[in-house]
Amino acid sequence: QVQLVESGGGVVQPGRSLRLSCAASGFTFRSYGMHWVRQAPGKGLEWVAVISYDGSSKYYADSVKGRLTISRDNSKNTLYLQMNSLRAEDTAVYYCAKAPAIAHYMDVWGKGTTVTVSS
Amino acid sequence: QSVLTQPPSVSAAPGQKVTLSCSGSSSNIGKNYVSWYQQLPGSAPKLLIYDNSKRPPGIPARFSGSKSGTSATLAITGLQTGDEADYYCATWDASLSGGVFGGGTKLTVL
């Protein structure tokens, strides 16, 4: 079955870096766009970034532009989120989600990985 | 503050019908398809409605979506206690060149 499994979350100090991964299975990963969406504790969903099926197009929320970088390795069926210069406000559960294309809905979601930025 | 506006909460009795609204602008809902997501307590979001009004396989016909101009609506009929969840609308914003979510509506089934 279609499955997305996030990993790489943890507790990190402000200003440090972290890389999240999202392992995909059960579908042809290289054919679909992929999103990262986050949810701060007790808050709503916030869209973070999206990447096209081939990695040629990427878009970011203003709140993360220049600090977070989305990428993918289609040979490994894996999506990544490189998180640099982390801030307290980046504390959230991070979900990866599959999409038919960049500007489209998210039809399958992972269970999420938690990132806590704290000194 | 979210780009898409949703009421923070709504409540209704079991068996009743409820409608959840989502208001946007010409650069987002006015230009693109709307999707809706259900997030049960402690769980990841799940796609309920896509392309304004289509249901993925396995989503009951009790859930329906519509769009008019710069607003969208999710309707749920025959409410069940298991429908208690947070509901989010989402779309693409052409001006921001990014995805946008509503702030979410917490549905309580009394």
Side-chain angles (χ1 to χ4, degrees), chain A residues 35 37 39 43-47 50 59-60 62 65 95 102-112, chain B residues 32-33 35 37 39 43-47 49-51 86 88 90 92 96-103:
Chain A
H35 294 263
V37 175
Q39 186 169 35
K43 301 295 185 183
L45 301 175
E46 179 188 14
W47 177 79
V50 66
Y59 298 92
Y60 297 92
D62 286 344
K65 213 170 283 186
Y95 299 100
I102 277 187
H104 279 61
Y105 55 91
M106 303 155 201
D107 59 355
V108 178
W109 295 63
K111 288 181 168 29
Chain B
N32 294 293
Y33 288 118
S35 53
Y37 303 87
Q39 187 175 33
S43 298
K46 180 175 89 170
L47 178 66
I49 297 289
Y50 68 99
D51 290 356
D86 293 322
Y88 296 90
W92 186 262
L96 297 174
S97 291
V100 289
F101 281 96

Side-chain angles (χ1 to χ4, degrees), chain A residues 27-34 52-54 72 74 98-101:
Chain A
F27 66 101
T28 307
F29 180 71
R30 64 180 181 273
S31 297
Y32 292 90
M34 295 293 296
S52 60
Y53 69 99
D54 61 355
R72 64 190 299 159
N74 286 345
K98 166 182 165 284

Side-chain angles (χ1 to χ4, degrees), chain A:
Chain A
Q1 73 281 22
V2 176
Q3 193 172 13
L4 298 171
V5 179
E6 301 92 339
S7 61
V11 179
V12 60
Q13 293 179 327
R16 304 298 289 257
S17 298
L18 204 61
R19 189 178 81 158
L20 306 184
S21 299
C22 168
S25 60
F27 66 101
T28 307
F29 180 71
R30 64 180 181 273
S31 297
Y32 292 90
M34 295 293 296
H35 294 263
W36 285 103
V37 175
R38 68 185 182 183
Q39 186 169 35
K43 301 295 185 183
L45 301 175
E46 179 188 14
W47 177 79
V48 173
V50 66
I51 187 169
S52 60
Y53 69 99
D54 61 355
S56 63
S57 296
K58 304 174 186 181
Y59 298 92
Y60 297 92
D62 286 344
S63 58
V64 307
K65 213 170 283 186
R67 299 186 302 114
L68 274 56
T69 302
I70 190 171
S71 63
R72 64 190 299 159
D73 186 337
N74 286 345
S75 69
K76 296 182 178 179
N77 288 347
T78 303
L79 174 73
Y80 301 102
L81 186 66
Q82 178 66 43
M83 309 172 73
N84 298 333
S85 303
L86 282 164
R87 306 168 179 168
E89 53 264 37
D90 295 317
T91 294
V93 175
Y94 285 74
Y95 299 100
C96 63
K98 166 182 165 284
I102 277 187
H104 279 61
Y105 55 91
M106 303 155 201
D107 59 355
V108 178
W109 295 63
K111 288 181 168 29
T113 187
T114 300
V115 173
T116 303
V117 183
S118 173
S119 55

Side-chain angles (χ1 to χ4, degrees), chain B residues 41-64:
Chain B
S43 298
K46 180 175 89 170
L47 178 66
L48 268 187
I49 297 289
Y50 68 99
D51 290 356
N52 302 331
S53 60
K54 298 177 182 176
R55 284 187 310 276
I59 300 300
R62 302 187 297 108
F63 296 89
S64 64

